[in-house]
Amino acid sequence: MGSGSLAAMSVFEDNYKVGMNEEEAKKMVRDAIRAGIVNDLGSGSNVDITVIKKGSVERFRPYEVICKKSERQGDYTFPVGTTIVKSSQEMVPFSALKVTDEEVMEIS
C-alpha cells in the first residue's frame, strides 16, 4: 500500500460488486490505480495490472499511461559553488528547544 492507497481504496469500496467479469474487474482496478496516481503527487504515472488465475499469470505493463513525461526545456546543471553556504552551524536538536509562548485555538 503506497501513498495513493486511500484514493484507490475509495474506488474499490464504491465499485466492487459480487460476480464481476474479468473486464469489469480490470476497469475497476485501473480506475483505482488511476485515482491513486492523479490524487497523489508522489505516485507514478503508469497503471500496471497483473491478472492471476489458477495456472496462469498475465501482466499488462503498462495497462494505461496516465501522464507522459515531457522533454526538458533547458539545461538544469549548475556549476559547483552556485549555492553559497552562509553558515556551517550545526542544527539544534528538537529536544533542546523550549516552548516560550503557547496559544490554543478552537477550530470550528
Side-chain angles (χ1 to χ4, degrees):
M1 302 290 271
S3 56
S5 64
L6 292 177
M9 289 302 295
S10 68
V11 173
F12 286 131
E13 289 172 356
D14 284 347
N15 296 301
Y16 175 79
K17 60 184 180 227
V18 176
M20 295 173 78
N21 65 37
E22 185 175 322
E23 287 307 311
E24 290 172 318
K26 282 186 201 176
K27 181 185 178 305
M28 180 188 63
V29 169
R30 184 218 44 211
D31 292 347
I33 295 170
R34 184 178 233 278
I37 290 170
V38 171
N39 291 297
D40 179 63
L41 296 175
S43 294
S45 58
N46 294 340
V47 174
D48 300 331
I49 295 176
T50 300
V51 177
I52 303 170
K53 299 179 187 175
K54 187 175 183 176
S56 70
V57 175
E58 192 174 6
R59 291 180 180 85
F60 300 91
R61 187 170 187 174
Y63 185 79
E64 182 176 288
V65 177
I66 303 298
C67 308
K68 291 187 178 185
K69 292 183 180 179
S70 61
E71 295 291 321
R72 288 188 176 206
Q73 300 298 313
D75 180 19
Y76 297 100
T77 56
F78 301 98
V80 175
T82 299
T83 302
I84 299 170
V85 177
K86 293 184 176 185
S87 173
S88 61
Q89 292 178 350
E90 290 185 31
M91 292 184 66
V92 176
F94 187 73
S95 60
L97 300 176
K98 292 185 172 67
V99 176
T100 59
D101 188 26
E102 184 175 347
E103 181 179 345
V104 178
M105 299 174 66
E106 283 190 39
I107 299 175
S108 54

